[in-house]
Amino acid sequence: MALTAWFQHFFKKNGIVLSIYLMSAVLLWMVIMIILPQVFMLDFSFRFNLPPGKIGGEEDVYTISNYRFLLFGSPGNPDPYNVIDTTVFFRTILAAIFVTVFDLLLCYPIAYALAIVAKGGTARLMVLSLIVPFWINEILRAFAFRILFGSSGVINTVGMTLGLWDTPFDFIKADIALYAGLGYAYILLMIFPIYNAMESLDRNQLEAARDLGAQWWRIHWRIVIPFSKPGIASGCTMVFMLSAGALAAPQILGGPSSLWFTQIIYQWFNTGGNWPRGSAYAIVLLAVCILFVLFMMRVFKVRIGEIGR
Amino acid sequence: MSVDVKLEDVWVRFGSFTAVKNANVTIRGGEFFSFLGPSGCGKTTLLRCISGFQEPTDGKILFDGKNMAGIGPNKRPTALIFQNLALFPLMSVADNIAFGLEVRGIGKAQRRKKADELLDLIALPGQGDKKVGELSGGQKQRVAIARALAVEPEILLLDEPLSALDLKLRQHMRTELREIQKRVGITFIYITHDQGEALTMSDRVAVMSEGVIEQVADSVTLYDRPEKPFVASFVGENNDFRGRVTSVSEGYAEVETSEGLFRGRVSEGNRDALSGSGPASIFVRPEALKIAGTATEASNAFEANLLQEEFEGNMRHLVLESKGGQRLRMTLVNDGHVLDYGPGSTVPVVFNPELAIVLPQEA
């Protein structure tokens, strides 16, 4: 009943043509772009990697062997579980958490400056200078970071000229370049949700707190952060999901010994030619990321509806 | 406990705009003091100077003789109540009230106790666990007062705190504010554009216009003995007859207006400004105008055309037009007599020189 009433209201409000367009666009987007690929991936992940001729044949049955491989490796594996893949998996999750926290610490003050401190023209100039660098292609930006952090790069040159260190420091091997690149790649996705939430904060509340004697950190802790929590949650979710699923930056900026879980997935799909196994790996990454985000939302008492604001 | 606030030659400029021009006033400890003026007259700027959110461009603000320059709002013995109250919506009522105590590092149990005491004071006992959003407008108002009082300020600053309330509640809160002030005995500095609020609550009122403090006095003096034309016309209703001074004698002056020669009172302070035949106004309140024949005054008589009558039960308001074309208002107490004049008829009007005020006008 409620649904028919909703449809009637929707059609009345938007008119027939617009209503049909909106609904079919959303439906197409949902089904073709989001649901179908994931369903196929899920289906793939439970199948054997068969040559094209055998697909649909007698041997094409469901299996959990791909998931078992992620956990225990090949049958000849001497270890009790698949050390390489699981280690890379957890390291990727940890690194994504690190990038998220780093971005939050970096972007919260920027968002605060934009939303509360800066006035008209200054704020616009700040937004512009934040956005313009992102006109440059992601791959190019990653290579630019490689040059910056290289052994004869700007940072090493400046550091050594100032006498901060003597021999060129290998930022790439230490994964500093990777973290910096990933962190920078998603700052806008962190800044704007927080800025958006913060902007509607009544400035008088800040003055009232100050008038009652509150120090700057308490004003943030008790008033600004609780108020912008939905924005912080949505920024953190996006940055975490995207950095856990990043491919280009780890590929270009990662050190020789560091492997990102997405790179393993990529290998299974591409060089390994094993789509079912790649799908299984991708599904596990997706599921764990979603569960982790939901868990963190529970911990910080954020409701899913708030994130959309 | 209570603190004197002294403003000495205070100027506030924002770029080329001067918000406050040479403000000099002493607010006595324990006083209910109001700044009254139309919006944009600089009263809020003055309040922000006293609270510490704004530094004066020039001049000094002294609390009990101590210069407050460079001392931030969190270090002053003041608490400010904002026009929109600025309660913290994500905290409970008790947490709101006790926020200032939390800042001072006071323990949870003690904070709660103080909050409960204050909730009793503002007649909201046992409502500490509610969310701010669950309260009505008047209740929020009282919580804002409690939050400010919790830090035991020596001066409470109120920036039009009643303007968001409806009329009934506003009148009720006036009485309540005044009672709270008497109970806690601290200095209240109140900002308003509503003369009703200022006159009923305050011990003294400063009337401001365009950044200038025009007059500081108690309510009766402001109404009966205005010193400036702005005060005469802003506070209450007034009929303003313009003309030129012809003579000034002991306590009185005569002004030649388009309606004739009128006589009215002159204060000591304005006497010098009125000698010489400068432009002047003679202000007569609507209730000071009488219909001739029912009163005995011989001087200050003229005739006017009755345009319409507004009947208000206890009062009759007559809208008149003088021979010179000036609109006038006359207010008569309804004493049961039927009015002898209908719309369109000519009414003989008189007023007592005792109740008329002569003030100099800018040339």
Side-chain angles (χ1 to χ4, degrees), chain A residues 202 204-215 218-219 222-223 226-228, chain B residues 48 53 73-74 79-80 82 84 86-91 99-100 102-104 147:
Chain A
D202 170 19
N204 282 346
Q205 282 182 32
L206 304 181
E207 290 201 338
R210 201 160 146 236
D211 187 57
L212 291 166
Q215 311 83 335
R218 194 187 295 274
I219 295 176
R222 293 286 273 145
I223 293 157
F227 187 83
S228 32
Chain B
R48 292 178 66 80
F53 285 109
N74 47 354
L80 177 57
F82 289 79
N84 68 351
L87 294 173
F88 308 130
L90 300 174
M91 295 184 204
F99 184 79
E102 181 191 322
V103 165
R104 284 158 180 75
R147 184 178 71 177

Side-chain angles (χ1 to χ4, degrees), chain B residues 202-330:
Chain B
S202 320
D203 294 312
R204 286 193 305 152
V205 180
V207 180
M208 287 188 77
S209 162
E210 294 176 358
V212 177
I213 297 181
E214 297 275 354
Q215 188 173 356
V216 181
D218 61 82
S219 307
V220 176
T221 310
L222 276 185
Y223 191 83
D224 289 345
R225 298 275 180 271
E227 292 280 337
K228 296 278 177 65
F230 177 82
V231 179
S233 49
F234 186 73
V235 179
E237 275 190 274
N238 236 328
N239 296 304
D240 174 1
F241 298 93
R242 302 222 169 178
R244 291 200 165 266
V245 184
T246 53
S247 70
V248 182
S249 59
E250 196 58 46
Y252 290 91
E254 288 186 336
V255 181
E256 182 68 52
T257 72
S258 56
E259 310 309 320
L261 189 66
F262 292 152
R263 204 170 134 79
R265 293 180 64 100
V266 170
S267 73
E268 254 336 280
N270 278 323
R271 213 177 142 167
D272 286 347
L274 286 167
S275 40
S277 62
S281 278
I282 179 158
F283 285 98
V284 190
R285 297 276 179 202
E287 65 271 22
L289 290 177
K290 303 281 179 212
I291 295 174
T294 61
T296 52
E297 294 86 0
S299 62
N300 294 342
F302 62 99
E303 288 189 329
N305 213 350
L306 179 60
L307 294 181
Q308 68 179 70
E309 182 191 344
E310 294 160 4
F311 182 73
E312 207 193 292
N314 58 341
M315 296 285 181
R316 284 195 162 96
H317 302 286
L318 306 187
V319 181
L320 304 162
E321 192 177 56
S322 69
K323 297 287 179 225
Q326 191 180 347
R327 283 285 173 104
L328 304 169
R329 282 180 78 85
M330 179 194 288

Side-chain angles (χ1 to χ4, degrees), chain A residues 6 57 61 66 91 112 148 160 187 201-203 209 212 221 242 245 251 260 262 274 285 301 307:
Chain A
W6 186 87
V61 290
N66 294 316
R91 218 183 42 213
Y112 179 77
L148 273 178
M160 289 194 299
I187 54 165
L201 176 64
D202 170 19
R203 310 290 191 279
L212 291 166
W221 182 246
L242 288 174
Q251 201 88 288
W260 213 250
T262 45
N274 191 340
L285 181 64
K301 298 197 180 74
I307 283 193

Side-chain angles (χ1 to χ4, degrees), chain A residues 29-40:
Chain A
W29 170 268
M30 291 285 287
V31 174
I32 294 185
M33 309 284 277
I34 300 173
I35 297 175
L36 277 183
Q38 298 299 332
V39 169
F40 276 116

Side-chain angles (χ1 to χ4, degrees), chain B residues 109-121:
Chain B
Q110 219 179 328
R111 286 200 316 251
R112 187 63 208 228
K113 191 164 153 268
K114 180 83 185 183
D116 285 339
E117 276 172 32
L118 282 160
L119 281 166
D120 286 342
L121 177 85

